[in-house]
C-alpha cells in the first residue's frame, strides 16, 4: 500500500504542474471597446483590454483590417489598454471588420467600424497673443572674409608725355616683287603663245581642264554625266621676254548612236582636254596642268543606265610656288529615262566660272551633252 500511495501523489503533482504550465503558456484574448480612425495619418487607435499580452515577444498583437490577409503594423508604445496601428492606404468610406488576437488558438476579437467621408476643414482659429521677447543671445563668431570685390573701372588716361628722340634709320629692305596689276583670260580651245612683259618675274596661273561629255541613252535607260575638269592654281617663276605656251582643253563630246532606236547600246562621252601653262616646246616636264574630266560611261548593254565619269586631277612638273590643286567632281549615274546623270562641276575651292561636265542622254536614244571647255587665267 505504501508504494501505491506514492504513485498517486506523483500523478497528482504532475497534473498540477502541467496545468500551471498550460495556464502560463496561454495568451490573453484582446477585447476592443473603441476604435478611432485618423484620416490625416491613416492610423487606427484601439482602446480596450488585453491589447498587449504580458509576453509580447512570445504572443505579439496582430490586427487585420477588412478583407486583407496582411497584418497591420503595430506602432511602438502599445500597452494592454491602447494600441495604434498603421493602415497602408486611405480607406474609402464604408464599414470594415477589424480582427485582433495575440494567439489565434486562444480566441479572436472582432470589431466593426464605419469610416465616414472626411469633413470640410474647419475655420482657422484666431491668432494667439504674441509672446514676450526672449533674451538676447550671445554674439556669434565672426564669419569668414567675403570674396574680393570686382575690379573698379579704369580711370581716365593721363596726359601724353613729351615726344621722344627720333631713332636711328633702319637698313633698307629687300626689293619686293611688285603686286599683281593685270590679268588675261584664255578661253579658246588650243595653244596660244604668251610673252612675259618687261619687269615681271612671276605670274599666277588659274587653270581649269575641259569637262567630259555625257554618255548617250538607250531606248530604255538614261546616260551618265561627264566628270568635271581638274583645277590648279600656282605662281610660276618667269623672266621678262620669256615665251609661255597657254593650252586650253576642249570639252568632251557627248556620246551618240546611229541607226534605229531599238535595243540600242549607248556610247560613252568623250574625254575632256587637258589645260596647261608651260615653257615653249613639247617638253612635258616644264608645265603645270589641269587634267580633263572623264566622259560619262555607257552601261554596256541596251538596258543598263550609264555611269558618271570621274573628275580630272592636276599635275605640276614646272616647280611652281604656292600650289593649290583640286580634283573635279564626278558626273552622276543615270537611271531610267527621265533621270539622266548630271555632269560634274567646278572643283570645290576654285573660282565659280560655270564649267561643268556634259549631262547624260535623257530621252530614248538621245545623245549625251558636251562638256564645257577649260579656261586659263594669267595674273601678273
Amino acid at each position: 500500500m505504501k508504494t501505491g500511495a506514492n504513485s498517486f501523489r506523483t500523478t497528482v503533482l504532475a497534473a498540477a504542474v502541467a496545468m500551471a504550465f498550460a495556464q502560463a503558456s496561454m495568451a490573453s484574448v484582446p477585447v476592443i471597446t473603441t476604435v478611432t480612425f485618423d484620416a490625416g495619418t491613416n492610423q487606427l487607435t484601439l482602446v480596450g483590454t488585453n491589447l498587449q499580452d504580458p509576453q509580447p515577444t512570445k504572443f505579439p498583437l496582430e490586427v487585420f483590417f477588412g478583407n486583407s490577409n496582411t497584418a497591420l503594423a503595430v506602432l511602438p508604445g502599445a500597452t494592454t489598454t491602447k494600441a495604434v496601428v498603421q493602415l497602408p492606404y486611405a480607406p474609402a468610406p464604408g464599414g470594415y471588420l477589424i480582427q485582433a488576437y495575440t494567439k489565434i488558438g486562444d480566441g479572436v476579437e472582432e470589431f466593426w467600424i464605419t469610416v465616414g467621408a472626411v469633413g470640410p476643414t474647419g475655420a482657422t482659429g484666431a491668432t494667439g497673443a504674441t509672446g514676450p521677447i526672449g533674451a538676447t543671445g550671445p554674439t556669434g563668431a565672426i564669419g569668414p572674409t567675403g570674396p574680393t570685390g570686382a575690379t573698379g573701372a579704369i580711370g581716365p588716361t593721363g596726359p601724353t608725355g613729351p615726344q621722344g628722340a627720333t631713332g636711328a634709320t633702319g637698313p633698307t629692305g629687300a626689293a619686293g616683287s611688285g603686286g599683281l596689276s593685270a590679268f588675261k583670260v584664255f578661253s579658246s580651245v588650243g595653244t596660244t603663245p604668251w610673252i612675259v612683259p618687261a619687269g615681271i618675274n612671276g605670274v599666277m596661273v588659274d587653270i581649269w581642264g575641259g569637262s567630259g561629255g555625257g554618255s548617250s541613252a538607250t531606248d530604255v535607260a538614261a546616260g551618265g554625266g561627264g566628270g568635271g575638269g581638274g583645277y590648279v592654281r600656282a605662281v610660276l617663276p618667269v623672266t621678262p621676254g620669256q615665251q609661255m605656251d597657254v593650252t586650253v582643253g576642249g570639252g568632251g563630246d557627248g556620246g551618240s548612236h546611229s541607226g534605229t532606236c531599238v535595243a540600242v547600246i549607248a556610247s560613252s562621252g568623250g574625254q575632256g582636254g587637258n589645260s596647261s601653262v608651260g615653257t615653249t616646246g613639247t617638253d612635258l616636264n616644264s608645265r603645270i596642268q589641269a587634267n580633263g574630266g572623264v566622259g560619262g560611261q555607257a552601261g554596256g548593254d541596251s538596258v543598263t543606265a550609264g555611269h558618271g565619269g570621274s573628275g580630272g586631277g592636276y599635275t605640276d612638273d614646272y616647280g611652281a610656288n604656292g600650289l593649290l590643286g583640286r580634283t573635279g567632281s564626278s558626273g552622276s549615274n543615270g537611271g531610267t529615262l527621265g533621270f539622266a546623270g548630271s555632269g560634274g562641276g567646278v572643283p570645290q575651292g576654285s573660282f565659280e566660272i560655270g564649267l561643268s561636265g556634259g549631262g547624260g542622254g535623257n530621252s530614248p536614244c538621245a545623245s549625251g551633252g558636251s562638256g564645257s571647255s577649260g579656261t586659263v587665267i594669267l595674273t601678273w
Side-chain angles (χ1 to χ4, degrees):
M1 293 297 296
K2 184 177 182 179
T3 302
N6 290 339
S7 175
F8 175 75
R9 285 194 296 271
T10 301
T11 301
V12 172
L13 179 60
V17 171
M19 180 176 295
F21 178 77
Q23 290 176 349
S25 300
M26 289 180 61
S28 55
V29 179
V31 177
I32 301 174
T33 56
T34 62
V35 177
T36 304
F37 171 63
D38 187 340
T41 61
N42 290 331
Q43 293 177 352
L44 298 174
T45 301
L46 283 60
V47 177
T49 58
N50 297 333
L51 298 181
Q52 182 74 295
D53 191 85
Q55 304 178 73
T57 303
K58 184 175 182 181
F59 301 112
L61 175 64
E62 295 198 16
V63 180
F64 295 85
F65 183 79
N67 296 325
S68 174
N69 293 324
T70 303
L72 301 178
V74 179
L75 303 186
T79 66
T80 59
T81 59
K82 181 179 179 181
V84 180
V85 295
Q86 181 67 54
L87 289 174
Y89 58 88
Y96 295 91
L97 175 64
I98 297 176
Q99 294 179 310
Y101 64 85
T102 55
K103 185 178 181 183
I104 188 65
D106 293 337
V108 178
E109 170 72 350
E110 295 185 345
F111 192 91
W112 278 90
I113 67 168
T114 300
V115 178
V118 178
T121 303
T124 304
T127 304
T130 303
I133 299 175
T136 303
T139 303
I142 298 175
T145 303
T148 303
T151 302
I154 299 174
T157 303
T160 303
Q163 182 175 346
T166 302
T169 302
T172 302
S177 59
L180 302 176
S181 60
F183 69 93
K184 183 174 178 62
V185 178
F186 297 82
S187 57
S188 298
V189 176
T191 301
T192 303
W194 179 74
I195 304 301
V196 179
I200 300 302
N201 297 309
V203 59
M204 184 174 70
V205 297
D206 289 281
I207 308 172
W208 290 264
S211 300
S215 64
S216 64
T218 70
D219 54 335
V220 295
Y231 167 78
V232 65
R233 164 184 278 190
V235 176
L236 307 183
V238 295
T239 57
Q242 180 182 0
Q243 178 176 318
M244 305 291 288
D245 281 343
V246 179
T247 301
V248 175
D253 295 330
S256 61
H257 78 283
S258 61
T260 59
C261 187
V262 178
V264 171
I265 298 177
S267 58
S268 300
Q271 170 88 26
N274 301 329
S275 299
S276 64
V277 176
T279 57
T280 302
T282 59
D283 184 7
L284 298 179
N285 294 324
S286 59
R287 67 181 63 187
I288 186 168
Q289 176 173 288
N291 301 327
V294 177
Q297 301 299 294
D301 55 45
S302 62
V303 296
T304 303
H307 303 289
S310 58
Y314 60 93
T315 57
D316 174 27
D317 297 313
Y318 191 94
N321 298 320
L323 179 70
L324 170 65
R326 297 285 186 271
T327 299
S329 58
S330 299
S332 60
N333 297 332
T336 57
L337 290 177
F339 296 93
S342 58
V346 174
Q348 183 180 8
S350 71
F351 293 130
E352 179 59 60
I353 62 173
L355 304 180
S356 64
N362 204 27
S363 59
C365 304
S367 298
S370 298
S372 300
S373 298
T375 299
V376 176
I377 301 177
L378 303 183
T379 307
W380 66 91

